[in-house]
């Protein structure tokens, strides 16, 4: 069984209190509680960029 990397990252982000949404061909990362955009507002994130931001926020291990 293969797991979709996009779905996995979205699930991990949601469990940690973040929202991932599609934006202009990329991704936008926001805090669910406050609605503040954390990354991707000026330049949409690639899937790899999203993973890096989640790693920076200690959602993903190194």
């Amino acid at each position: 069984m293969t797991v979709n990397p996009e779905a996995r990252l979205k699930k991990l982000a949601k469990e940690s209190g973040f929202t991932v949404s599609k934006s202009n061909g990329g991704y936008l990362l926001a805090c669910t509680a406050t609605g503040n955009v954390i990354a991707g507002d000026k330049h949409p994130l690639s899937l790899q960029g999203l993973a890096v931001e989640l790693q920076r926020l200690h959602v993903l291990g190194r």
Side-chain angles (χ1 to χ4, degrees), residues 4-44:
N4 180 359
E6 178 184 1
R8 181 174 174 264
L9 288 176
K10 283 184 174 183
K11 181 178 180 256
L12 287 171
K14 185 176 180 181
E15 289 173 353
S16 298
F18 299 102
T19 303
V20 176
S21 58
K22 285 267 197 177
S23 171
N24 296 336
Y27 298 94
L28 185 79
L29 181 64
C31 179
T32 304
T34 62
N36 292 342
V37 176
I38 296 170
D41 52 344
K42 293 179 184 170
H43 304 286

Side-chain angles (χ1 to χ4, degrees), residues 13 16 18 29-31 38-39 50-62:
S16 298
F18 299 102
L29 181 64
C31 179
I38 296 170
L50 177 62
V52 168
E53 286 298 322
L54 290 173
Q55 189 176 43
R56 188 178 64 80
L57 295 167
H58 303 290
V59 174
L60 293 177
R62 296 198 179 267

